[in-house]
Amino acid sequence: MPTQPTPPRLVEIDPWLAPYTHEISERRQRAEALFEDLRSEHGSLKEAARLHQEWGFQFYPATGEWIYREWAPAARALSLVGDFNDWDRQAHPMQRGDDGVWSISLPESALQHEQLVKVHVIGADGNGRDRIPACIRRAVQNPETYDFAGQIWHPAEPYEFKNSFRIPEGTAPLIYEAHPGMAGEEQRVHSYREFQEDVLPRIAKGGYNTIQLMAIQEHPYYGSFGYHVSSFFAPSSRFGTPEELKELIDTAHGLGIAVLLDIVHSHAVKNIAEGLSDFDGSGGQYFHHGDKGEHPQWDSKIFDYGKHEVRDFLLSNLRYWLEEFQFDGFRFDGVTSMLYHHHGLEPFDHYDKYFRHGVDTDAVLYLQAASELSHEIRPDALLVAEDMSGMPGLCRPIAEGGMGFSYRLAMGVPDFWIKLLKHQPDEQWDMHEIWDTLNNRRAMEPAIAYAESHDQALVGDKTLAFWLMDQEMYWNMKKSSESVVVDRGIALHKIIRLITMSMAGEGYLTFIGNEFGHPEWVDFPREGNDWSFQHCRRQWSLADNPELRYEQIGAFDQAMIAMASEHKLLKMDPAQALNFDQDNQVLIAERGNLIFTFNFSPSHSIPDYRFPVLQPGEYRVILDSDKAEFGGHERQDASVTHFSQPDGNGGHEISVYLPSRTAMVFAKIG
């Protein structure tokens, strides 16, 4: 009998995938064939991803000339315009190559650092438009007309990195999600330099080892949160210069902190004046034609990942950010939207939905190439996928039939907490439901846990702190104030964050300011709020004020992160439940030889509470949310040692005092 082929490792991990062995094998084979072709032609994936070194403005010192190249296959004519030729559209026509790439050569003296440029494109439709070059490395906005233009960026003394950095092996990511523009307290757009000087020290003090920078790729509308990108190779000029962004990253590396770019390859802005939309007048080019190229929810354009020029453009974009700015990886936005032709708008109620119905195989192949390239350039690159579909194999190696990402965001967890806070009093919270939600992730596919990100704080919603305390945060956050609402809110805020971090993933994320309970919501300046920055900033003075309880919330977060780091908690196997007690609303679990007790009850403080432990010995509290310095009531004596006793059934148990609305972490000390 013929030998049966060995099933992909992905099927061995999840036997429910056995009916899809053929599709998983095909997924792997398509990727391996692409990689083989690219390496055969170019020597490596890295050398295949070099469009940013060919397209756009390239200066060649050996010949003392500039060459500008632009891909516009269906265009009728292109000409370069800018400050250098007084914006004369006839002065510098470009020549078309057989590959649809237009070019022009200029002497070194023709283009100067910081000059403004555009390319005039007469498209296939006969319309002539001034466009921003697709691979421009800096785009700036006119403060009077609000128009964007490309800018030659050729500084005499480019920034030189001082710190060589690699993510330490065996480190779990503790991610601080941040937006440079809203990272200061004043009601305005803040800068890379201000973030470096004012916010980086806070992040380092808080114990976070990774920063996820949002809104870096240039985008015309500030209120898009950076998700309607126009210039993919240009760091947003509203925050400062490319050199200042490099210095920010270099400084973070000096503090031992990795920096991820929140990269947007899932879609692009529709704006013709600023972006890539209809660049050559064909109605497609970088994007699908017709309705297929329109995102139904995001009012944006959908890339055609099946075109090799588009794939190479995006792969080159990854290489550019990894090498030019020394980012340590990416958080890929909108992966669910990329993976499926329906963009995640249909339910994922059957495994067929992952392999046979609606899957965009071109996008799958691009994402496999993106992860392979990133790890070829930086073996330690950290790749986080924003996926809510649960696509099997997303975070498994390509050789196993996966897609090569490091982690996926546990997107269901923050949505679950918001749903609970909106619709159910905490006296009715179900311990089994909480446990099941926090542990509902694919085996051997690491997840980033979080209780809230920027999504949960956008206008129309509220931060967890504001859901818990609402208007009481305006009046009763002084340490001298008495408020049962604030007491409850702070207690649950701490419990929610600790149980999420310890149970729901292999990494952890918080959004800037939420670690100390930043109030209200995030609302960017827009016509509907009279262009106000009131809710588009971070009020650090709240956390720094020793008279306010924000300081206590922040202190707990710092202690929680320190505990997780010291014990390498998130590198340990998933948590095991030790005790469910719905009557008392108690949930107890073990992870990494630490025991976590959660008493959600608003009123049941329980003396002599007995529960099983996996190992006999002596236990002591190493983190207690009820400590006074964390805004609690100091009801637990941390010096007490808890000795395990036989439980009469061959196991062991310990007895502890469980105060109401508290969380504690116990470590075995003997």
Side-chain angles (χ1 to χ4, degrees), residues 19 30 47 78 90 142 163 173 294 345 375 400 416 441 448 554 556 564 619 630:
R30 281 194 303 268
E47 285 307 305
L78 269 70
Q90 311 302 319
N142 186 312
N163 297 293
E294 305 287 330
L345 301 180
H375 287 124
E400 296 182 0
F416 169 73
R441 56 189 184 275
I448 301 292
F556 176 77
Y619 291 83
F630 304 147

Side-chain angles (χ1 to χ4, degrees), residues 289-310:
H289 286 270
D291 291 343
K292 190 176 180 181
E294 305 287 330
H295 199 291
Q297 277 196 322
W298 297 346
D299 192 31
S300 55
K301 301 295 293 183
I302 303 297
F303 284 107
D304 183 351
Y305 303 103
K307 283 186 179 177
H308 75 85
E309 296 93 345
V310 174

Side-chain angles (χ1 to χ4, degrees), residues 97-377:
D98 294 338
D99 54 0
V101 176
W102 301 71
S103 64
I104 186 172
S105 175
L106 297 168
E108 179 179 0
S109 59
L111 297 176
Q112 303 297 321
H113 178 56
E114 295 188 327
Q115 282 184 332
L116 301 183
V117 289
K118 287 189 177 183
V119 58
H120 184 70
V121 180
I122 298 177
D125 55 4
N127 291 321
R129 302 184 181 95
D130 291 341
R131 307 296 300 261
I132 296 176
C135 289
I136 199 72
R137 300 194 178 191
R138 182 165 163 85
V140 295
Q141 189 173 29
N142 186 312
E144 296 179 359
T145 64
Y146 301 109
D147 293 334
F148 276 85
Q151 187 178 54
I152 299 297
W153 194 253
H154 190 60
E157 297 182 3
Y159 184 81
E160 294 186 9
F161 286 84
K162 302 174 181 62
N163 297 293
S164 178
F165 179 82
R166 289 294 181 267
I167 298 173
E169 189 174 352
T171 300
L174 300 166
I175 302 174
Y176 197 88
E177 183 185 36
H179 182 291
M182 62 176 291
E185 186 140 2
E186 295 181 17
Q187 296 189 37
R188 59 175 174 83
V189 178
H190 295 81
S191 68
Y192 297 127
R193 181 62 54 79
E194 289 172 316
F195 189 95
Q196 172 189 322
E197 294 176 351
D198 301 334
V199 183
L200 279 183
R202 294 180 180 274
I203 298 172
K205 181 181 178 182
Y208 289 88
N209 60 24
T210 308
I211 298 169
Q212 178 183 305
L213 280 182
M214 306 174 64
I216 299 301
Q217 295 174 290
E218 190 60 86
H219 47 289
Y221 179 44
Y222 188 51
S224 77
F225 227 140
Y227 291 119
H228 277 189
V229 173
S230 53
S231 296
F232 284 77
F233 291 86
S236 180
S237 61
R238 56 172 57 87
F239 309 137
T241 69
E243 310 310 297
E244 288 168 340
L245 174 58
K246 292 176 183 178
E247 186 177 6
L248 185 166
I249 296 168
D250 196 18
T251 304
H253 287 165
L255 294 169
I257 299 173
V259 187
L260 307 183
L261 174 62
D262 193 349
I263 202 158
V264 185
H265 283 181
S266 48
H267 62 132
V269 73
K270 291 175 69 172
N271 302 26
I272 288 178
E274 295 92 358
L276 301 176
S277 180
D278 200 23
F279 196 92
D280 66 357
S282 66
Q285 192 181 346
Y286 288 94
F287 311 104
H288 289 290
H289 286 270
D291 291 343
K292 190 176 180 181
E294 305 287 330
H295 199 291
Q297 277 196 322
W298 297 346
D299 192 31
S300 55
K301 301 295 293 183
I302 303 297
F303 284 107
D304 183 351
Y305 303 103
K307 283 186 179 177
H308 75 85
E309 296 93 345
V310 174
R311 180 199 67 212
D312 293 349
F313 174 84
L314 296 174
L315 291 176
S316 296
N317 192 233
L318 298 177
R319 179 181 173 186
Y320 169 74
W321 291 109
L322 287 171
E323 293 186 334
E324 184 73 17
F325 290 86
Q326 297 193 16
F327 278 99
D328 303 292
F330 305 101
R331 178 267 200 185
F332 278 75
D333 167 69
V335 167
T336 304
S337 178
M338 298 172 71
L339 289 172
Y340 310 96
H341 292 299
H342 53 72
H343 308 301
L345 301 180
E346 294 182 5
F348 295 94
D349 51 7
H350 194 282
Y351 269 37
D352 279 4
K353 302 289 185 72
Y354 297 126
F355 300 104
R356 294 174 180 166
H357 302 310
V359 179
D360 188 337
T361 55
D362 291 331
V364 170
L365 183 59
Y366 165 67
L367 289 170
Q368 290 174 304
S371 66
E372 184 79 1
L373 170 70
S374 298
H375 287 124
E376 183 178 291
I377 296 171

Side-chain angles (χ1 to χ4, degrees), residues 578 588 590 595 610-617 619 642-645 647 650-656 666 668:
L578 299 178
I588 301 175
E590 184 270 349
I595 295 174
R610 297 177 181 272
F611 61 89
V613 293
L614 300 178
Q615 299 181 52
Y619 291 83
H642 302 270
F643 297 89
S644 66
Q645 301 291 334
D647 63 4
H652 293 81
E653 64 182 11
I654 62 173
S655 172
V656 302
F666 293 81
K668 186 173 178 291

Side-chain angles (χ1 to χ4, degrees), residues 374-389:
S374 298
H375 287 124
E376 183 178 291
I377 296 171
R378 283 282 301 268
D380 65 327
L382 179 59
L383 306 179
V384 180
E386 187 198 30
D387 172 51
M388 48 71 65
S389 73

